[in-house]
Amino acid sequence: MITSDDLALKHSVEIDAPPERVWDLVRDVRRIPEWSPQVESTRLRAGWDDIALGTEFTNRNVAGEVAWVTHGEIVRYDPTREVAFRIAENWVIWSFVVEPLGADRTRLVQRRETPDGVSPDAARWVASNLGGLESFGSTIRDGARRTLAGIKAAAEA
């Protein structure tokens, strides 16, 4: 049986750029499609104009021939330090944490937390459409690494 610990992930990357520059990139969830191999588009839901605690948004995701929509809400927002959002369909919380390593260096940490597990409906859907949680988990881990690499390249450019 897959546990919440099995589904959690934590990756980090050190970036040769000031923390403010890294924060400017990750603070706005609408920019995630620039780096994520899975998130094709992100749009704020009606009534939201900016990113803040409680902001709601919609993602269009793709994996191979499969596309699906998810709905997120910003659940933690600490300007210059952290943005975290919970996906309604699967209960997963994704976050980016900016850790200053000096004036011109930054560690960026990306986490995937599952404090409530994964919703049974999402687990069934992933099993039917994406090969199961274990198989899709490797896709998620690879995507997280690629996302961080893309953010690093953008920040250092």
Side-chain angles (χ1 to χ4, degrees):
M1 170 155 195
I2 297 176
T3 68
S4 292
D5 289 340
D6 295 328
L7 298 171
L9 69 77
K10 178 181 174 182
H11 293 292
S12 66
V13 64
E14 291 189 11
I15 301 172
D16 290 321
E20 299 80 20
R21 180 183 222 163
V22 176
W23 174 251
D24 284 344
L25 294 173
V26 301
R27 69 167 287 280
D28 189 343
V29 295
R30 291 172 289 192
R31 298 205 59 192
I32 292 173
E34 294 176 37
W35 311 295
S36 171
Q38 181 179 307
V39 181
E40 185 174 83
S41 68
T42 301
R43 290 186 172 79
L44 298 187
R45 297 192 56 198
W48 296 98
D49 297 322
D50 201 9
I51 306 302
L53 190 63
T55 298
E56 296 177 357
F57 59 93
T58 301
N59 287 328
R60 176 175 162 76
N61 306 288
V62 295
E65 299 293 316
V66 181
W68 68 100
V69 172
T70 57
H71 302 89
E73 178 181 348
I74 305 294
V75 295
R76 292 192 303 268
Y77 190 79
D78 182 0
T80 74
R81 176 148 172 40
E82 179 184 24
V83 59
F85 52 90
R86 182 179 190 271
I87 300 300
E89 287 77 8
N90 61 15
W91 309 341
V92 169
I93 298 172
W94 287 93
S95 64
F96 289 104
V97 177
V98 175
E99 298 176 349
L101 299 175
D104 293 321
R105 284 195 48 78
T106 306
R107 178 180 299 114
L108 180 61
V109 179
Q110 183 181 31
R111 286 187 177 89
R112 178 181 193 258
E113 306 165 66
T114 55
D116 301 318
V118 172
S119 77
D121 289 342
R124 282 191 292 277
W125 188 88
V126 169
S128 296
N129 295 281
L130 299 171
L133 291 175
E134 238 176 294
S135 173
F136 189 56
S138 65
T139 300
I140 292 292
R141 286 186 294 280
D142 177 62
R145 285 188 286 272
R146 290 173 55 192
T147 298
L148 287 177
I151 295 168
K152 175 181 171 72
E156 292 178 349

